[in-house]
Coordinates of all heavy atoms in Angstrom, one line a residue:
M1170 N 103.5 -2.6 -57.7 CA 102.0 -2.4 -57.8 C 101.6 -1.2 -57.0 O 102.1 -0.8 -56.0 CB 101.3 -3.7 -57.2 CG 99.8 -3.6 -57.3 SD 99.0 -5.1 -56.7 CE 99.3 -6.2 -58.0
S1171 N 100.6 -0.5 -57.5 CA 100.1 0.7 -56.9 C 99.1 0.4 -55.7 O 98.6 -0.7 -55.6 CB 99.3 1.5 -58.0 OG 98.2 0.8 -58.4
T1172 N 98.9 1.4 -54.9 CA 98.0 1.2 -53.8 C 96.5 1.3 -54.3 O 96.3 1.7 -55.5 CB 98.2 2.3 -52.8 OG1 97.8 3.5 -53.3 CG2 99.6 2.3 -52.3
D1173 N 95.6 0.9 -53.5 CA 94.2 1.0 -53.9 C 93.8 2.4 -54.2 O 93.1 2.7 -55.2 CB 93.3 0.5 -52.8 CG 93.3 -1.1 -52.7 OD1 93.9 -1.7 -53.5 OD2 92.6 -1.6 -51.8
A1174 N 94.3 3.4 -53.4 CA 94.0 4.8 -53.6 C 94.5 5.3 -55.0 O 93.8 6.0 -55.7 CB 94.5 5.7 -52.5
E1175 N 95.7 4.9 -55.3 CA 96.3 5.3 -56.6 C 95.5 4.6 -57.7 O 95.3 5.3 -58.7 CB 97.8 4.8 -56.7 CG 98.7 5.6 -55.8 CD 100.1 5.0 -55.7 OE1 100.2 3.8 -55.9 OE2 101.0 5.8 -55.4
T1176 N 95.2 3.4 -57.6 CA 94.4 2.7 -58.6 C 93.0 3.4 -58.8 O 92.5 3.6 -59.9 CB 94.2 1.2 -58.3 OG1 95.5 0.6 -58.2 CG2 93.4 0.5 -59.4
L1177 N 92.4 3.7 -57.7 CA 91.1 4.4 -57.8 C 91.2 5.7 -58.4 O 90.3 6.1 -59.2 CB 90.4 4.5 -56.4 CG 90.0 3.2 -55.7 CD1 89.4 3.4 -54.3 CD2 88.9 2.5 -56.6
A1178 N 92.3 6.4 -58.2 CA 92.5 7.7 -58.9 C 92.7 7.5 -60.4 O 92.2 8.3 -61.2 CB 93.7 8.4 -58.3
T1179 N 93.3 6.4 -60.7 CA 93.5 6.0 -62.1 C 92.1 5.7 -62.8 O 91.9 6.0 -63.9 CB 94.5 4.8 -62.3 OG1 95.7 5.2 -61.7 CG2 94.7 4.4 -63.7
V1180 N 91.3 5.0 -62.0 CA 89.9 4.7 -62.5 C 89.2 6.0 -62.7 O 88.5 6.1 -63.7 CB 89.2 3.7 -61.5 CG1 87.7 3.5 -61.9 CG2 89.9 2.4 -61.4
D1181 N 89.3 6.9 -61.7 CA 88.7 8.2 -61.9 C 89.0 8.8 -63.3 O 88.2 9.3 -64.0 CB 89.2 9.2 -60.8 CG 88.4 9.2 -59.6 OD1 87.5 8.4 -59.4 OD2 88.6 10.2 -58.8
A1182 N 90.3 8.9 -63.5 CA 90.8 9.5 -64.8 C 90.3 8.7 -66.0 O 90.0 9.4 -67.0 CB 92.3 9.5 -64.7
A1183 N 90.3 7.4 -65.9 CA 89.9 6.6 -67.1 C 88.4 6.9 -67.4 O 88.0 7.0 -68.5 CB 90.1 5.1 -66.8
V1184 N 87.6 7.0 -66.3 CA 86.1 7.2 -66.5 C 85.9 8.6 -67.1 O 85.1 8.8 -68.0 CB 85.4 7.0 -65.2 CG1 83.9 7.4 -65.4 CG2 85.4 5.5 -64.8
L1185 N 86.6 9.6 -66.5 CA 86.5 11.0 -67.0 C 86.9 11.1 -68.5 O 86.5 12.0 -69.2 CB 87.3 11.9 -66.2 CG 86.6 12.3 -64.9 CD1 87.5 13.1 -64.0 CD2 85.3 13.1 -65.1
A1186 N 87.8 10.2 -69.0 CA 88.3 10.3 -70.3 C 87.3 9.7 -71.3 O 87.5 9.8 -72.5 CB 89.6 9.6 -70.4
V1187 N 86.2 9.0 -70.8 CA 85.3 8.4 -71.7 C 84.4 9.5 -72.4 O 83.9 10.4 -71.8 CB 84.3 7.5 -70.9 CG1 83.2 7.0 -71.7 CG2 85.1 6.3 -70.4
P1188 N 84.3 9.4 -73.8 CA 83.5 10.4 -74.5 C 82.1 10.3 -73.9 O 81.5 9.2 -73.8 CB 83.5 9.9 -75.9 CG 84.8 9.1 -76.0 CD 85.0 8.5 -74.7
G1189 N 81.5 11.5 -73.7 CA 80.1 11.6 -73.1 C 80.1 11.8 -71.6 O 79.1 12.2 -71.1
V1190 N 81.2 11.4 -70.9 CA 81.2 11.6 -69.5 C 81.6 13.1 -69.2 O 82.7 13.5 -69.6 CB 82.1 10.7 -68.7 CG1 82.3 11.0 -67.2 CG2 81.7 9.3 -68.9
A1191 N 80.7 13.8 -68.6 CA 81.0 15.3 -68.3 C 81.4 15.5 -66.9 O 82.1 16.4 -66.6 CB 79.7 16.1 -68.5
E1192 N 81.0 14.6 -65.9 CA 81.3 14.8 -64.5 C 81.4 13.4 -63.9 O 80.7 12.5 -64.3 CB 80.3 15.7 -63.9 CG 80.6 16.0 -62.4 CD 81.9 16.8 -62.2 OE1 82.0 17.8 -62.8 OE2 82.8 16.2 -61.5
L1193 N 82.2 13.3 -62.8 CA 82.3 12.1 -62.0 C 81.9 12.6 -60.6 O 82.5 13.5 -60.0 CB 83.7 11.6 -62.1 CG 83.9 10.2 -61.4 CD1 83.0 9.1 -61.9 CD2 85.4 9.8 -61.5
Y1194 N 80.9 11.9 -60.0 CA 80.5 12.3 -58.6 C 81.0 11.3 -57.6 O 81.2 10.1 -58.0 CB 79.0 12.4 -58.6 CG 78.4 13.4 -59.5 CD1 77.8 12.9 -60.7 CD2 78.5 14.7 -59.3 CE1 77.3 13.9 -61.6 CE2 77.9 15.6 -60.2 CZ 77.3 15.2 -61.3 OH 76.8 16.1 -62.2
R1195 N 81.1 11.7 -56.4 CA 81.5 10.8 -55.3 C 80.4 9.7 -55.1 O 79.2 10.1 -54.9 CB 81.7 11.6 -54.0 CG 82.1 10.7 -52.9 CD 83.6 10.7 -52.7 NE 83.9 10.0 -51.5 CZ 84.6 8.9 -51.5 NH1 85.1 8.4 -52.6 NH2 84.9 8.3 -50.3
A1196 N 80.7 8.5 -55.2 CA 79.8 7.4 -55.0 C 79.5 7.3 -53.5 O 80.3 7.8 -52.7 CB 80.4 6.1 -55.5
R1197 N 78.4 6.6 -53.2 CA 78.0 6.4 -51.8 C 79.2 5.8 -51.0 O 79.6 4.7 -51.3 CB 76.8 5.5 -51.7 CG 76.3 5.2 -50.3 CD 75.2 4.3 -50.4 NE 75.5 3.0 -51.1 CZ 75.9 1.9 -50.5 NH1 76.1 1.9 -49.2 NH2 76.1 0.9 -51.2
P1198 N 79.7 6.5 -50.1 CA 80.9 6.0 -49.4 C 80.5 5.0 -48.3 O 79.5 5.1 -47.6 CB 81.6 7.2 -48.8 CG 80.4 8.2 -48.6 CD 79.4 7.9 -49.7
T1199 N 81.4 4.0 -48.1 CA 81.3 3.1 -47.0 C 82.2 3.7 -45.9 O 83.0 4.6 -46.2 CB 81.7 1.7 -47.3 OG1 83.1 1.8 -47.8 CG2 80.9 1.1 -48.4
V1200 N 82.2 3.2 -44.7 CA 83.1 3.6 -43.7 C 84.5 3.5 -44.1 O 85.4 4.4 -43.9 CB 82.8 2.9 -42.3 CG1 83.9 3.2 -41.3 CG2 81.4 3.2 -41.8
E1201 N 84.9 2.3 -44.7 CA 86.3 2.1 -45.1 C 86.7 3.1 -46.2 O 87.8 3.6 -46.1 CB 86.4 0.7 -45.6 CG 87.8 0.3 -46.0 CD 88.0 -1.1 -46.5 OE1 87.1 -1.9 -46.2 OE2 88.9 -1.3 -47.2
S1202 N 85.8 3.3 -47.2 CA 86.2 4.3 -48.2 C 86.3 5.7 -47.7 O 87.1 6.5 -48.2 CB 85.2 4.2 -49.4 OG 83.9 4.6 -49.1
A1203 N 85.4 6.0 -46.7 CA 85.5 7.4 -46.1 C 86.8 7.5 -45.4 O 87.5 8.6 -45.4 CB 84.3 7.6 -45.2
I1204 N 87.3 6.5 -44.7 CA 88.6 6.6 -44.0 C 89.7 6.7 -45.0 O 90.6 7.5 -44.8 CB 88.8 5.3 -43.1 CG1 87.8 5.4 -41.9 CG2 90.2 5.2 -42.6 CD1 87.7 4.1 -41.1
T1205 N 89.6 6.0 -46.1 CA 90.7 6.0 -47.2 C 90.7 7.4 -47.8 O 91.8 8.0 -48.0 CB 90.4 5.0 -48.2 OG1 90.4 3.7 -47.7 CG2 91.4 5.1 -49.4
A1206 N 89.5 8.0 -48.0 CA 89.4 9.4 -48.6 C 90.0 10.4 -47.6 O 90.7 11.3 -48.0 CB 88.0 9.7 -48.9
A1207 N 89.7 10.2 -46.3 CA 90.3 11.2 -45.3 C 91.8 11.1 -45.3 O 92.5 12.1 -45.2 CB 89.6 10.9 -43.9
R1208 N 92.3 9.9 -45.3 CA 93.8 9.7 -45.3 C 94.4 10.4 -46.5 O 95.5 11.0 -46.5 CB 94.1 8.2 -45.3 CG 93.9 7.6 -44.0 CD 94.3 6.1 -44.0 NE 94.1 5.6 -42.7 CZ 93.8 4.3 -42.5 NH1 93.7 3.5 -43.5 NH2 93.5 3.8 -41.3
G1209 N 93.7 10.3 -47.7 CA 94.2 10.9 -48.9 C 94.2 12.4 -48.8 O 95.1 13.1 -49.3
L1210 N 93.2 13.0 -48.2 CA 93.2 14.4 -48.0 C 94.3 14.9 -47.0 O 94.9 15.9 -47.3 CB 91.8 14.8 -47.4 CG 90.6 14.7 -48.4 CD1 89.3 14.9 -47.7 CD2 90.8 15.6 -49.6
V1211 N 94.6 14.1 -46.0 CA 95.6 14.4 -45.1 C 97.0 14.4 -45.8 O 97.8 15.3 -45.6 CB 95.6 13.5 -43.9 CG1 96.9 13.6 -43.0 CG2 94.4 13.7 -43.0
R1212 N 97.2 13.5 -46.7 CA 98.4 13.4 -47.5 C 98.5 14.4 -48.6 O 99.5 14.5 -49.3 CB 98.6 12.0 -48.0 CG 98.9 11.0 -47.0 CD 99.3 9.7 -47.7 NE 98.4 9.2 -48.8 CZ 97.4 8.4 -48.6 NH1 97.2 7.9 -47.4 NH2 96.6 8.0 -49.5
G1213 N 97.4 15.2 -48.8 CA 97.4 16.2 -49.8 C 96.9 15.6 -51.2 O 96.9 16.3 -52.2
A1214 N 96.5 14.4 -51.2 CA 96.0 13.8 -52.5 C 94.5 14.0 -52.5 O 93.9 14.0 -51.5 CB 96.3 12.3 -52.5
G1215 N 94.0 14.2 -53.7 CA 92.6 14.3 -53.8 C 91.9 13.0 -53.6 O 92.5 11.9 -53.8
A1216 N 90.7 13.0 -53.0 CA 90.0 11.8 -52.8 C 89.4 11.2 -54.0 O 88.7 12.0 -54.8 CB 88.9 12.0 -51.7
P1217 N 89.6 9.9 -54.3 CA 89.0 9.4 -55.5 C 87.4 9.4 -55.4 O 86.9 9.3 -54.3 CB 89.4 7.9 -55.5 CG 90.5 7.8 -54.5 CD 90.4 9.0 -53.6
R1218 N 86.8 9.6 -56.5 CA 85.3 9.7 -56.4 C 84.7 8.3 -56.7 O 83.5 8.1 -56.3 CB 84.8 10.7 -57.5 CG 85.2 12.1 -57.0 CD 85.1 13.1 -58.1 NE 86.2 13.0 -59.0 CZ 86.4 13.8 -60.0 NH1 85.6 14.8 -60.3 NH2 87.5 13.6 -60.8
V1219 N 85.4 7.4 -57.2 CA 84.9 6.0 -57.3 C 85.1 5.3 -56.0 O 86.1 5.7 -55.3 CB 85.5 5.2 -58.5 CG1 85.1 5.9 -59.8 CG2 87.0 5.1 -58.4
V1220 N 84.3 4.4 -55.7 CA 84.4 3.7 -54.4 C 84.5 2.2 -54.6 O 83.8 1.6 -55.4 CB 83.2 4.0 -53.5 CG1 83.2 3.1 -52.3 CG2 83.1 5.5 -53.2
L1221 N 85.5 1.5 -53.9 CA 85.5 0.1 -53.9 C 84.9 -0.4 -52.7 O 85.4 -0.1 -51.6 CB 87.0 -0.4 -54.0 CG 87.2 -1.9 -54.1 CD1 86.5 -2.4 -55.4 CD2 88.6 -2.3 -54.1
D1222 N 83.7 -0.9 -52.8 CA 82.9 -1.4 -51.7 C 83.0 -2.9 -51.6 O 82.3 -3.6 -52.4 CB 81.4 -0.9 -51.9 CG 80.5 -1.1 -50.7 OD1 81.0 -1.5 -49.6 OD2 79.3 -0.8 -50.8
D1223 N 83.8 -3.4 -50.8 CA 84.2 -4.8 -50.8 C 84.8 -5.2 -52.1 O 85.8 -4.7 -52.4 CB 83.0 -5.7 -50.4 CG 82.6 -5.6 -48.9 OD1 83.5 -5.4 -48.1 OD2 81.4 -5.6 -48.7
D1224 N 84.1 -5.9 -53.0 CA 84.6 -6.2 -54.3 C 83.8 -5.6 -55.4 O 83.8 -6.0 -56.6 CB 84.8 -7.7 -54.5 CG 83.5 -8.5 -54.4 OD1 82.4 -7.8 -54.0 OD2 83.5 -9.7 -54.6
V1225 N 83.0 -4.6 -55.1 CA 82.1 -3.9 -56.0 C 82.6 -2.5 -56.2 O 82.8 -1.7 -55.3 CB 80.6 -3.8 -55.5 CG1 79.8 -3.0 -56.5 CG2 80.1 -5.2 -55.3
L1226 N 82.9 -2.1 -57.5 CA 83.4 -0.8 -57.8 C 82.2 0.0 -58.2 O 81.4 -0.3 -59.0 CB 84.3 -0.9 -59.1 CG 85.1 0.3 -59.5 CD1 86.0 0.7 -58.4 CD2 85.8 0.1 -60.8
R1227 N 82.0 1.2 -57.4 CA 80.8 2.0 -57.6 C 81.2 3.3 -58.3 O 82.2 4.0 -57.8 CB 80.2 2.3 -56.3 CG 79.7 1.0 -55.6 CD 78.8 1.3 -54.4 NE 78.5 0.0 -53.7 CZ 77.6 -0.9 -54.1 NH1 76.9 -0.6 -55.1 NH2 77.4 -2.0 -53.4
V1228 N 80.5 3.7 -59.4 CA 80.9 4.8 -60.2 C 79.6 5.6 -60.4 O 78.6 5.0 -60.8 CB 81.5 4.4 -61.5 CG1 81.9 5.6 -62.3 CG2 82.7 3.5 -61.3
V1229 N 79.6 6.9 -60.2 CA 78.4 7.7 -60.5 C 78.9 8.9 -61.5 O 79.8 9.6 -61.1 CB 77.9 8.4 -59.2 CG1 76.6 9.2 -59.5 CG2 77.5 7.3 -58.2
I1230 N 78.2 8.9 -62.6 CA 78.7 9.9 -63.7 C 77.5 10.8 -64.0 O 76.4 10.6 -63.8 CB 79.1 9.1 -64.9 CG1 77.9 8.3 -65.6 CG2 80.3 8.3 -64.7 CD1 78.3 7.8 -66.9
G1231 N 77.9 11.9 -64.6 CA 77.1 12.9 -65.3 C 77.4 12.8 -66.7 O 78.6 12.8 -67.1
T1232 N 76.5 12.8 -67.6 CA 76.8 12.8 -69.0 C 76.6 14.1 -69.7 O 75.9 15.0 -69.1 CB 75.9 11.7 -69.8 OG1 74.5 12.2 -69.7 CG2 76.0 10.4 -69.1
D1233 N 77.2 14.3 -70.9 CA 77.1 15.6 -71.5 C 75.8 15.8 -72.3 O 75.5 16.8 -72.8 CB 78.3 15.8 -72.4 CG 78.5 14.8 -73.5 OD1 77.5 14.0 -73.8 OD2 79.6 14.8 -74.1
G1234 N 75.0 14.7 -72.5 CA 73.8 14.8 -73.2 C 73.9 14.7 -74.7 O 73.0 14.6 -75.5
V1235 N 75.2 14.6 -75.2 CA 75.4 14.5 -76.7 C 75.3 13.1 -77.1 O 74.6 12.7 -78.1 CB 76.8 15.1 -77.1 CG1 77.1 14.9 -78.5 CG2 76.9 16.6 -76.7
L1236 N 76.0 12.2 -76.4 CA 75.9 10.8 -76.6 C 74.8 10.2 -75.8 O 74.5 10.7 -74.7 CB 77.2 10.1 -76.3 CG 78.4 10.5 -77.2 CD1 79.7 9.9 -76.7 CD2 78.1 10.1 -78.6
P1237 N 74.1 9.1 -76.2 CA 73.1 8.5 -75.3 C 73.7 8.0 -74.0 O 74.8 7.5 -73.9 CB 72.6 7.3 -76.2 CG 73.0 7.6 -77.6 CD 74.3 8.4 -77.5
A1238 N 72.9 8.3 -72.9 CA 73.4 7.9 -71.6 C 73.7 6.4 -71.4 O 74.7 6.1 -70.8 CB 72.4 8.4 -70.5
P1239 N 72.9 5.5 -71.9 CA 73.2 4.1 -71.8 C 74.5 3.7 -72.5 O 75.3 3.0 -71.9 CB 72.0 3.4 -72.4 CG 70.9 4.3 -72.4 CD 71.5 5.7 -72.5
E1240 N 74.8 4.3 -73.6 CA 76.0 4.0 -74.3 C 77.2 4.6 -73.5 O 78.3 3.9 -73.4 CB 76.0 4.7 -75.7 CG 77.2 4.6 -76.5 CD 77.1 5.3 -77.9 OE1 76.0 5.2 -78.5 OE2 78.0 6.0 -78.2
T1241 N 77.1 5.8 -73.0 CA 78.1 6.4 -72.2 C 78.4 5.6 -70.9 O 79.5 5.3 -70.5 CB 77.7 7.8 -71.8 OG1 77.5 8.5 -73.0 CG2 78.8 8.5 -71.0
A1242 N 77.3 5.1 -70.3 CA 77.4 4.3 -69.0 C 78.2 3.0 -69.3 O 79.0 2.6 -68.5 CB 76.1 4.0 -68.4
R1243 N 77.8 2.3 -70.5 CA 78.5 1.1 -70.8 C 80.0 1.3 -71.0 O 80.9 0.6 -70.6 CB 77.9 0.5 -72.0 CG 76.7 -0.4 -71.8 CD 76.2 -1.2 -73.0 NE 75.7 -0.3 -74.0 CZ 74.5 0.2 -74.1 NH1 73.6 -0.1 -73.1 NH2 74.1 0.9 -75.1
A1244 N 80.3 2.4 -71.7 CA 81.7 2.7 -72.0 C 82.5 3.1 -70.7 O 83.6 2.7 -70.5 CB 81.8 3.9 -73.0
A1245 N 81.8 3.8 -69.8 CA 82.4 4.1 -68.5 C 82.6 2.8 -67.7 O 83.6 2.7 -67.0 CB 81.5 5.1 -67.7
H1246 N 81.7 1.9 -67.8 CA 81.8 0.6 -67.1 C 83.0 -0.2 -67.6 O 83.8 -0.6 -66.7 CB 80.5 -0.2 -67.3 CG 80.5 -1.6 -66.8 ND1 80.9 -2.7 -67.5 CD2 80.2 -2.0 -65.5 CE1 80.8 -3.7 -66.7 NE2 80.4 -3.4 -65.5
L1247 N 83.2 -0.2 -68.9 CA 84.3 -1.0 -69.4 C 85.7 -0.3 -69.1 O 86.6 -0.9 -68.7 CB 84.2 -1.1 -70.9 CG 83.0 -1.9 -71.4 CD1 82.9 -1.8 -73.0 CD2 83.2 -3.4 -71.0
A1248 N 85.7 1.0 -69.1 CA 86.9 1.8 -68.7 C 87.2 1.6 -67.3 O 88.4 1.4 -66.9 CB 86.7 3.3 -69.1
A1249 N 86.2 1.6 -66.4 CA 86.5 1.5 -65.0 C 87.0 0.1 -64.7 O 88.0 -0.1 -63.9 CB 85.2 1.7 -64.2
L1250 N 86.4 -1.0 -65.3 CA 86.9 -2.3 -65.0 C 88.3 -2.5 -65.6 O 89.1 -3.2 -64.9 CB 85.9 -3.3 -65.7 CG 84.7 -3.7 -64.9 CD1 83.8 -4.6 -65.7 CD2 85.0 -4.2 -63.6
A1251 N 88.6 -2.0 -66.7 CA 89.9 -2.2 -67.3 C 91.0 -1.5 -66.4 O 92.0 -2.1 -66.2 CB 89.9 -1.6 -68.7
A1252 N 90.7 -0.3 -66.0 CA 91.6 0.5 -65.1 C 91.8 -0.2 -63.8 O 93.0 -0.3 -63.3 CB 91.2 1.9 -64.9
A1253 N 90.7 -0.7 -63.2 CA 90.8 -1.4 -61.9 C 91.6 -2.7 -62.1 O 92.5 -3.0 -61.2 CB 89.4 -1.7 -61.4
T1254 N 91.4 -3.5 -63.1 CA 92.1 -4.7 -63.3 C 93.6 -4.5 -63.6 O 94.4 -5.2 -63.0 CB 91.4 -5.5 -64.5 OG1 90.1 -5.7 -64.2 CG2 92.1 -6.8 -64.7
A1255 N 93.9 -3.4 -64.4 CA 95.2 -3.1 -64.7 C 96.0 -2.7 -63.4 O 97.2 -2.9 -63.3 CB 95.3 -2.0 -65.7
G1256 N 95.3 -2.1 -62.5 CA 95.9 -1.7 -61.2 C 95.9 -2.7 -60.2 O 96.4 -2.5 -59.1
G1257 N 95.4 -3.9 -60.5 CA 95.5 -5.1 -59.6 C 94.4 -5.2 -58.6 O 94.4 -6.0 -57.7
L1258 N 93.3 -4.4 -58.8 CA 92.2 -4.5 -57.9 C 91.3 -5.7 -58.3 O 91.1 -6.0 -59.5 CB 91.3 -3.3 -58.0 CG 91.8 -2.0 -57.3 CD1 90.8 -0.9 -57.5 CD2 92.1 -2.2 -55.9
V1259 N 90.9 -6.4 -57.3 CA 90.0 -7.6 -57.5 C 88.6 -7.0 -57.4 O 88.1 -6.6 -56.4 CB 90.2 -8.7 -56.5 CG1 89.2 -9.8 -56.7 CG2 91.6 -9.2 -56.6
V1260 N 87.9 -7.0 -58.6 CA 86.5 -6.5 -58.7 C 85.6 -7.5 -59.2 O 85.8 -8.1 -60.3 CB 86.5 -5.2 -59.6 CG1 85.1 -4.7 -59.8 CG2 87.5 -4.2 -59.1
A1261 N 84.5 -7.8 -58.4 CA 83.5 -8.8 -58.9 C 82.6 -8.1 -59.9 O 82.2 -8.8 -60.9 CB 82.7 -9.3 -57.7
R1262 N 82.3 -6.9 -59.7 CA 81.5 -6.1 -60.7 C 81.7 -4.6 -60.5 O 82.1 -4.2 -59.5 CB 80.0 -6.5 -60.6 CG 79.3 -6.0 -59.4 CD 77.8 -6.4 -59.4 NE 77.1 -5.6 -58.5 CZ 76.8 -5.8 -57.2 NH1 77.3 -6.9 -56.7 NH2 76.1 -5.0 -56.5
A1263 N 81.2 -3.9 -61.5 CA 81.3 -2.4 -61.4 C 79.8 -2.0 -61.6 O 79.1 -2.4 -62.6 CB 82.2 -1.9 -62.5
D1264 N 79.4 -1.1 -60.7 CA 78.1 -0.5 -60.8 C 78.3 0.9 -61.3 O 78.9 1.7 -60.6 CB 77.3 -0.5 -59.5 CG 76.9 -1.9 -59.0 OD1 76.8 -2.8 -59.9 OD2 76.7 -2.1 -57.8
V1265 N 77.7 1.3 -62.4 CA 77.8 2.6 -62.9 C 76.4 3.2 -63.0 O 75.5 2.6 -63.6 CB 78.4 2.7 -64.4 CG1 78.4 4.1 -64.9 CG2 79.8 2.1 -64.4
R1266 N 76.2 4.3 -62.2 CA 74.9 5.0 -62.2 C 75.1 6.3 -62.9 O 76.1 7.0 -62.8 CB 74.5 5.3 -60.8 CG 74.0 4.1 -60.0 CD 73.4 4.4 -58.7 NE 74.2 5.4 -57.9 CZ 73.6 6.5 -57.4 NH1 72.4 6.8 -57.5 NH2 74.4 7.3 -56.7
V1267 N 74.0 6.7 -63.6 CA 74.0 8.0 -64.3 C 73.2 8.9 -63.4 O 72.0 8.7 -63.2 CB 73.4 8.0 -65.7 CG1 73.3 9.3 -66.3 CG2 74.2 7.0 -66.6
A1268 N 73.9 9.9 -62.8 CA 73.2 10.9 -61.9 C 72.6 12.1 -62.6 O 71.7 12.7 -62.1 CB 74.2 11.3 -60.8
R1269 N 73.2 12.4 -63.8 CA 72.7 13.6 -64.5 C 73.0 13.4 -66.0 O 74.0 12.9 -66.4 CB 73.5 14.8 -64.0 CG 73.1 16.1 -64.7 CD 74.0 17.3 -64.3 NE 75.4 17.1 -64.6 CZ 75.9 17.3 -65.8 NH1 75.2 17.7 -66.8 NH2 77.2 17.2 -66.0
V1270 N 72.0 13.7 -66.8 CA 72.1 13.7 -68.2 C 72.1 15.1 -68.8 O 71.1 15.9 -68.5 CB 71.0 12.9 -68.9 CG1 71.1 12.9 -70.4 CG2 71.0 11.4 -68.4
G1271 N 73.1 15.5 -69.5 CA 73.1 16.8 -70.2 C 73.5 17.9 -69.3 O 73.7 18.0 -68.2

């Protein structure tokens, strides 16, 4: 089974692969997620931009403006949950915010 950081990196990639998602922004970090990100940087790994805050997966996206933002956000939500579940993360819900359209 992969680590949480590896799984979050997989969630990053899954969300970025969603049609209509143009950018993935760093979600509001908690102390724990900030420590995890710092450890990843020390190891030379990029810090995941999605955050697991207790059992809530937080995702902040920018859309390309071609597809409707609500449709893109729903698809990103489903992709994030599927990738997290496949990686063994226990997630009560995923919060997807659209920070930028177009």
Side-chain angles (χ1 to χ4, degrees):
M1170 180 178 285
S1171 62
T1172 66
D1173 285 358
E1175 290 170 335
T1176 301
L1177 291 176
T1179 301
V1180 173
D1181 269 12
V1184 171
L1185 281 171
V1187 170
V1190 173
E1192 184 61 60
L1193 185 59
Y1194 301 104
R1195 179 95 174 117
R1197 178 183 56 93
T1199 60
V1200 172
E1201 182 179 339
S1202 67
I1204 291 169
T1205 301
R1208 287 181 181 150
L1210 291 173
V1211 168
R1212 287 190 310 266
R1218 291 167 282 187
V1219 297
V1220 172
L1221 185 60
D1222 189 6
D1223 292 324
D1224 60 353
V1225 178
L1226 190 62
R1227 299 190 187 282
V1228 181
V1229 182
I1230 63 172
T1232 67
D1233 62 12
V1235 176
L1236 297 173
E1240 178 182 317
T1241 302
R1243 278 191 291 279
H1246 177 266
L1247 293 174
L1250 279 178
T1254 301
L1258 289 181
V1259 177
V1260 177
R1262 72 177 200 270
D1264 290 339
V1265 176
R1266 288 187 315 127
V1267 177
R1269 181 183 61 81
V1270 176

